[in-house]
């Protein structure tokens, strides 16, 4: 989430809640998110209508179900976590060592599906500017026409939920292609590769994740001491 000035805490909250950062997601994941949220909305609407013995199409039911579903989805996506980190100085991440462990766990979890071409880390992590108030920018390149694509998207949701409990604010996205990332990410960011399927090419890369796992301080911002 971008910082937008002195009052960003007030500006980012309604924008983040409404959009869920879907404008930055690739089309397949965006459709998956909309479809799953729609199913949750319909289920919750039906439940509210039955419990309160009112019409399914009453504005009270629709509004209540929308707010509840959209807020739940906002929490699951990790948007609140990133918002708090970006807006208030009292919030910090769990530290670089736990972040590295989380990346390793996510990589193992998602690649077991056979639907992943690469797992890349961007943001302050790849620029060696990571510090206590940094979020984690993870990008999962999915393998086209893989059998377990749907499972991959569900596991990505599970990984986001796990990041909440691990105190690791994470912007995790599943994208359709590397070309999408080249348009989306900053030009000065050479991704750290946590995983790359044999034969898949991703162009220039940054420091080896294997080296980072051995010495996480390699990605820390100068003069920052991790606890």
């Amino acid at each position: 989430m971008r910082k937008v000035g002195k009052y960003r805490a007030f500006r980012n909250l309604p924008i983040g809640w409404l959009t869920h950062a879907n404008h930055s997601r690739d089309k397949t994941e965006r459709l998956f998110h909309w479809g799953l949220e729609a199913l949750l909305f319909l289920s919750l609407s039906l439940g509210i209508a039955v419990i309160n013995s009112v019409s399914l199409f009453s504005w009270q039911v629709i509004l209540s179900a929308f707010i509840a579903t959209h807020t739940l989805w906002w929490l699951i996506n990790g948007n609140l976590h990133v918002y708090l980190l970006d807006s208030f100085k009292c919030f910090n991440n769990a530290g670089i060592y736990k972040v590295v462990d989380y990346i390793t766990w996510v990589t193992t979890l998602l690649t077991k599906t056979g639907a992943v071409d690469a797992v890349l880390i961007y943001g302050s992590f790849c620029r060696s500017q990571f510090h206590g108030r940094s979020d984690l920018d993870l990008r999962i390149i999915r393998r086209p026409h893989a059998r377990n694509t749907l499972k991959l998207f569900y596991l990505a949701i599970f990984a986001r939920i796990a990041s909440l409990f691990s105190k690791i604010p994470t912007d995790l996205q599943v994208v359709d292609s590397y070309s999408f990332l080249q348009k989306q990410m900053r030009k000065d960011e050479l991704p750290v590769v946590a995983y790359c399927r044999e034969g898949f090419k991703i162009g220039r890369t940054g420091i080896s994740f294997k080296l980072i796992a051995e010495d996480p301080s390699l990605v820390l911002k100068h003069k920052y001491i991790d606890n």
Side-chain angles (χ1 to χ4, degrees):
M1 185 179 292
R2 295 181 180 180
K3 297 179 179 180
V4 291
K6 184 177 179 181
Y7 302 104
R8 65 179 181 272
F10 301 100
R11 298 177 185 179
N12 284 348
L13 183 59
I15 294 173
W17 183 83
L18 284 170
T19 67
H20 287 201
N22 272 320
H23 60 282
S24 65
R25 299 187 187 279
D26 212 340
K27 59 182 181 180
T28 305
E29 187 177 34
R30 190 161 59 243
L31 289 172
F32 172 78
H33 278 222
W34 285 344
L36 191 55
E37 185 174 353
L39 288 174
L40 291 172
F41 169 75
L42 291 173
S43 300
L44 187 57
S45 297
L46 182 60
I48 294 174
V50 170
I51 292 173
N52 294 280
S53 300
V54 296
S55 171
L56 178 63
F57 302 103
S58 68
W59 70 267
Q60 295 96 333
V61 170
I62 293 174
L63 181 61
S64 299
F66 172 75
I67 292 175
T69 303
H70 209 64
T71 301
L72 177 62
W73 202 231
W74 184 52
L75 293 171
I76 290 174
N77 281 337
N79 298 115
L80 174 61
H81 208 184
V82 174
Y83 162 75
L84 292 173
L85 187 77
D86 185 60
S87 303
F88 302 100
K89 293 182 179 180
C90 59
F91 286 90
N92 291 278
N93 57 46
I96 188 61
Y97 292 97
K98 290 186 178 180
V99 168
V100 170
D101 288 342
Y102 174 77
I103 293 171
T104 302
W105 173 76
V106 169
T107 300
T108 301
L109 176 72
L110 300 185
T111 54
K112 283 182 178 181
T113 64
V116 175
D117 273 334
V119 176
L120 308 178
I121 307 112
Y122 285 87
S124 58
F125 191 97
C126 77
R127 299 193 306 272
S128 295
Q129 293 292 310
F130 196 88
H131 54 84
R133 298 187 65 247
S134 294
D135 63 343
L136 176 64
D137 295 291
L138 269 178
R139 298 295 181 268
I140 316 300
I141 304 178
R142 71 178 184 88
R143 190 172 184 177
H145 313 298
R147 292 182 178 180
N148 290 328
T149 296
L150 192 60
K151 182 179 180 180
L152 172 64
F153 282 118
Y154 279 115
L155 287 177
I157 292 174
F158 177 67
R160 292 188 187 97
I161 295 173
S163 74
L164 293 175
F165 291 98
S166 301
K167 198 182 175 184
I168 303 173
T170 302
D171 177 13
L172 188 156
Q173 296 183 27
V174 179
V175 303
D176 294 340
S177 65
Y178 182 60
S179 60
F180 175 82
L181 290 180
Q182 290 177 308
K183 297 176 182 178
Q184 183 195 47
M185 309 310 294
R186 288 171 42 165
K187 292 183 179 180
D188 65 338
E189 293 184 342
L190 296 179
V192 172
V193 181
Y195 167 81
C196 183
R197 180 176 60 82
E198 185 177 354
F200 184 75
K201 297 181 179 180
I202 56 176
R204 296 178 63 197
T205 61
I207 189 171
S208 165
F209 182 71
K210 183 178 180 180
L211 291 177
I212 295 172
E214 295 173 353
D215 183 9
S217 66
L218 291 172
V219 298
L220 292 180
K221 186 176 182 179
H222 182 56
K223 294 184 179 179
Y224 170 71
I225 300 176
D226 185 74
N227 295 319

